[in-house]
């Protein structure tokens, strides 16, 4: 019987010392975290993200485009509103000159498209491909990340 009491008291003692060790370790970690944050605030150290301006993609809306397409039998009117998503390196002043050039080049390119090519989901993709290729050529060396169609109406 003395053996079981001794091992029970040893187990209780080792369990208490284990709990005490875990408590000391947790207190040490909290103390280090507080010291790190306090030291950063004291010495004016900022995070790496604090100095950066929030940079995301640049969105460039093109002016509304209206053009007529003819398939030989009848003429169709197409209304198109497009927004280009560009990489974050573009500035507003630089972008303004490009938007006008892209819109003019698009008018010339889209007049060549057949009205039947614009039907259905394949037509939407065709317009996006034409807009993307035209914008990429005008913005060289920059590239368009995505073409967002806001309105595509064919009457």
């Amino acid at each position: 019987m003395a053996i079981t009491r001794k091992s029970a008291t040893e187990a209780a003692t080792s369990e208490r010392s284990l709990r005490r060790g875990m408590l000391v370790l947790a207190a040490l970690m909290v103390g280090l975290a507080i010291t790190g944050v306090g030291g950063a605030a004291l010495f004016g150290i900022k995070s790496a993200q604090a100095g950066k301006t929030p940079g995301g993609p640049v969105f460039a809306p093109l002016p509304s485009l209206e053009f007529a397409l003819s398939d030989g039998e009848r003429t169709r009117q197409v209304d198109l509103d497009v927004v280009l998503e560009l990489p974050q390196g573009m500035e507003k002043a630089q972008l303004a000159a490009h938007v006008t050039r892209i819109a003019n080049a698009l008018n010339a390119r889209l007049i060549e498209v057949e009205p039947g090519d614009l039907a259905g989901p394949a037509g939407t993709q065709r317009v996006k491909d034409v807009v993307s290729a035209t914008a990429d050529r005008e913005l060289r060396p920059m590239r368009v990340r995505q073409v967002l169609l806001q309105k595509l109406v064919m009457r």
Side-chain angles (χ1 to χ4, degrees):
M1 285 196 180
I3 295 174
T4 57
R5 281 187 189 164
K6 187 174 183 183
S7 51
T9 54
E10 284 179 6
T13 305
S14 67
E15 188 176 321
R16 270 189 249 138
S17 64
L18 181 63
R19 285 184 186 169
R20 190 174 300 141
M22 294 288 281
L23 185 61
V24 169
L25 183 61
L28 182 64
M29 288 174 59
V30 168
L32 286 173
I34 290 172
T35 304
V37 171
L42 180 67
F43 295 114
I45 299 171
K46 297 177 183 164
S47 70
Q49 295 293 330
K52 293 182 180 178
T53 58
V58 176
F59 293 98
L62 297 180
S64 294
L65 301 172
E66 294 182 14
F67 50 94
L69 298 178
S70 177
D71 59 358
E73 295 177 15
R74 59 187 219 189
T75 303
R76 299 213 174 212
Q77 183 71 26
V78 178
D79 297 332
L80 181 65
D81 284 343
V82 178
V83 176
L84 302 177
E85 180 182 344
L86 304 169
Q88 61 190 27
M90 284 293 244
E91 294 184 19
K92 298 287 183 185
Q94 190 181 25
L95 190 60
H98 288 293
V99 166
T100 307
R101 286 184 14 212
I102 293 169
N104 290 339
L106 268 176
N107 262 335
R109 284 279 310 268
L110 288 173
I111 289 175
E112 299 168 0
V113 175
E114 293 289 324
D117 292 345
L118 298 181
T124 303
Q125 188 59 45
R126 170 95 166 122
V127 170
K128 285 184 175 184
D129 291 342
V130 169
V131 170
S132 180
T134 304
D136 283 343
R137 190 174 1 141
E138 295 297 325
L139 290 171
R140 203 173 281 146
M142 300 284 271
R143 293 186 54 91
V144 173
R145 292 172 86 186
Q146 190 173 5
V147 175
L148 307 168
L149 292 181
Q150 295 201 326
K151 180 172 81 170
L152 175 59
V153 178
M154 188 164 64
R155 294 182 245 147

